[in-house]
Amino acid sequence: MSYSPDGPHQSPYRPQGQPPQPPQRPQPPYGQPQYARQPQATPPYGQPQVPYGRPDHDPQGYGQQDQYGGYEPPYEQEPPRRRSRVKRWVITGTTLVALAGIAALVMNHFEIPPFTDKGKSVSFGGPTGKGGAKAAANSKMSMPTGPAAEFKNSMTLGDGTHVAVTTVTGKKSGFTGKVWVWAPKEYDDPKFAKSGFPVMIALPGGAGYPSNYWMGTDLGLQTSISKWYSEGKSKPFILAMPVLNPGPDDKGVYWDGSDIPGQPKMGTWLTEDVPDLMRENFRTVKSRDGWAFMGSSTGGFAGLKAVLKHPDKFKAVIASGPDVVPDSSLWKGHDKEKAQNNPELLAKQLIDKKGPEVYLAFQVGDSENNKKTLPDVQKFVATYGKGPIHTSLKVIPGGKHNAKTYVPNMGEGPIQFISQVMEGPVE
C-alpha cells in the first residue's frame, strides 16, 4: 500500500480482532540510510506550515511527530547554537591573547617601547648615585666624587639589576669610548648604604670594539657573581666593562691594552680613565685591595699586564687563556715601549723590588686553539710565581678558547683565589 502525503490515509489489511497497526516505514534501497527523511510536500496556500500528520503540540515533550508515527526533536535549537557562539568567542579571545603575547615578545626582542626599558636613565645607589650617606674620616670606602655620568640602561636582569652604558672621554688618555657597568643588588641594599664595593674591570678577547661582550647576559658573568657571592665564594664586585680597543681588530691588528706610540693610549684608558669613572659614580674601596681585572685572551693579557705594571693600584687578576708577552704588529719600531709592557719583564722587576704583592689567577683549557697557550702559562707560573707574585693555575679538561668555557670555571677556584685577599664591602 503506498503512502501519499497529500492523499487519503488507507490502513493496510489486518486480521479481525487485532488492533490497528501503525503504518510501517518503507525500507530504503540498499546502500541508503534506513531512516533517511522523505521530502515533505508543501501545504496548500493558507494552511499552517506544519507537515501533514504532525500535531501542533507535544504535551509529553517527545518532539514533533513525523509521518510514520515517530517523534522528531523539538524545532527550537537555539541553546546549542548559543553554546557554539560562546565556543567561538572563547577561541577568538584565546587567539587574540596569544597573538598579543607573541607581539610583546617580538617587540621586547627588538627593544621596542613600551615592552623594554632599554635606554632609560639609570642611577646606581639612589637619585644622586651617592646613596644618601657620608663616609667617616677614617673610612676605607670612598664616596662618589662626581661629576655624575649619564648612564642609560642596556639591559635588565631577572633580579632587577641593570647593565648600563655611558660614553666617556678620558681626561688622561684623550680616548672616547663606551663603558658598561653593573652593580650587584647588594649595592642598593640600605644595609650597605655606607659601604664601598670592590671593582672588577672585565676585558673581552677578540676585537673588544665597538662593544664588550661581558656586558651581555648570555655569558652569565653578572648572575654568576651574584651566585658566587651568595655561596661565599666571591666578593660582590661592581663590574666595569670598557671597550678594549679603539677600533676594529682587523687582520690581527690590536693594541695590547697599551700606550703604543702614535696610537690611542689604551693602557691609560684602562688603568686611569675607567677607574676614575667608577670612583666618580660609585662607592668604592679606597685602597688597591678593592681593585682587580678579569679578562680572556687578549683581555687576559691586558689585565695581567695592568696588574704587574701598576701593582700600587690593582691587587689581582683572573686571566683566562691569555698571551703572556705582547705581540701586536703595532709595536714594530718601538722595542723599548714594548719591553715596558711585557708581563714577563714586569714580573721579574716586581720580584726584584720585593713587592707589592699581587695575585694572578690563571685558567686555561687543555683544548685551546693555540696549543702554545697552556705550556706558555705553565712556564710563566713556574718561572715567576714566587716572592710577591702569588699564582694559581686551573687547567680546564676539554676547555676551549672561549668565554663560555671560562665563566663557569671561574667559580671553581679563580674567583675564590682573588676574593680571599681582596676587601669589600667596607665602611
Side-chain angles (χ1 to χ4, degrees), residues 47-352:
Q47 294 185 9
Q49 298 294 312
V50 180
Y52 176 80
R54 295 184 180 179
D56 291 331
H57 178 62
D58 172 24
Q60 283 78 29
Y62 296 125
Q64 300 291 349
Q65 189 175 28
D66 66 16
Q67 60 190 13
Y68 302 112
Y71 286 89
E72 296 178 343
Y75 285 122
E76 189 173 340
Q77 298 292 327
E78 285 304 317
R81 284 200 295 272
R82 282 196 291 272
R83 287 195 295 270
S84 298
R85 189 177 299 120
V86 170
K87 183 177 180 181
R88 287 197 300 272
W89 277 110
V90 170
I91 294 173
T92 301
T94 303
T95 303
L96 290 174
V97 170
L99 290 174
I102 293 171
L105 290 173
V106 171
M107 295 176 78
N108 182 66
H109 176 76
F110 289 103
E111 299 168 345
I112 301 173
F115 295 93
T116 178
D117 56 0
K118 181 175 180 179
K120 292 185 177 179
S121 295
V122 174
S123 179
F124 295 93
T128 64
K130 297 184 179 182
K134 292 183 178 181
N138 61 346
S139 175
K140 292 184 177 181
M141 65 91 76
S142 175
M143 291 297 295
T145 62
E150 184 181 12
F151 290 105
K152 298 293 185 181
N153 190 39
S154 178
M155 59 193 66
T156 301
L157 279 65
D159 62 359
T161 57
H162 302 285
V163 177
V165 63
T166 189
T167 300
V168 179
T169 298
K171 296 180 180 67
K172 297 173 182 175
S173 70
F175 173 71
T176 299
K178 290 183 177 180
V179 181
W180 288 262
V181 298
W182 173 81
K185 62 183 180 180
E186 288 76 18
Y187 187 82
D188 286 320
D189 189 332
K191 181 173 64 175
F192 295 104
K194 297 181 180 180
S195 298
F197 281 68
V199 175
M200 177 180 285
I201 301 173
L203 304 178
Y209 178 90
S211 63
N212 179 323
Y213 58 56
W214 294 118
M215 61 86 173
T217 56
D218 55 326
L219 296 174
L221 179 59
Q222 295 85 359
T223 53
S224 294
I225 287 176
S226 292
K227 176 176 177 289
W228 296 331
Y229 175 62
S230 68
E231 295 171 346
K233 296 179 179 179
S234 173
K235 297 295 184 183
F237 291 101
I238 300 172
L239 292 179
M241 299 163 279
V243 294
L244 175 62
N245 292 325
D249 181 5
D250 187 27
K251 298 180 181 178
V253 175
Y254 45 92
W255 286 257
D256 271 344
S258 305
D259 292 357
I260 300 175
Q263 301 294 328
K265 296 182 178 181
M266 301 313 294
T268 300
W269 160 257
L270 296 175
T271 61
E272 298 282 352
D273 294 329
V274 172
D276 284 349
L277 170 73
M278 303 308 288
R279 291 188 184 96
E280 290 166 357
N281 292 275
F282 292 87
R283 304 187 307 275
T284 57
V285 179
K286 284 182 179 179
S287 75
R288 74 186 189 105
D289 293 341
W291 295 85
F293 274 88
M294 185 278 286
S296 57
S297 192
T298 302
F301 165 84
L304 172 65
K305 188 259 299 183
V307 170
L308 290 170
K309 190 170 184 177
H310 303 284
D312 57 325
K313 298 179 180 178
F314 308 101
K315 192 171 187 177
V317 62
I318 298 176
S320 303
D323 299 322
V324 293
V325 294
D327 61 355
S328 171
S329 61
L330 297 173
W331 287 115
K332 186 176 181 180
H334 306 289
D335 292 342
K336 178 183 176 181
E337 291 82 3
K338 182 178 180 179
Q340 294 171 348
N341 289 274
N342 187 327
E344 292 183 339
L345 299 179
L346 292 168
K348 184 178 183 304
Q349 294 170 10
L350 190 59
I351 293 171
D352 291 342

Side-chain angles (χ1 to χ4, degrees), residues 364-373 399-402 406:
V364 184
D366 63 7
S367 298
E368 299 263 347
N369 297 336
N370 185 349
K371 301 305 178 183
K372 290 186 60 182
T373 302
K400 305 291 185 180
H401 190 73
N402 59 61
Y406 300 140

Side-chain angles (χ1 to χ4, degrees), residues 6-19:
D6 297 320
H9 186 163
Q10 299 184 17
S11 299
Y13 171 80
R14 65 179 186 277
Q16 291 184 356
Q18 295 185 7

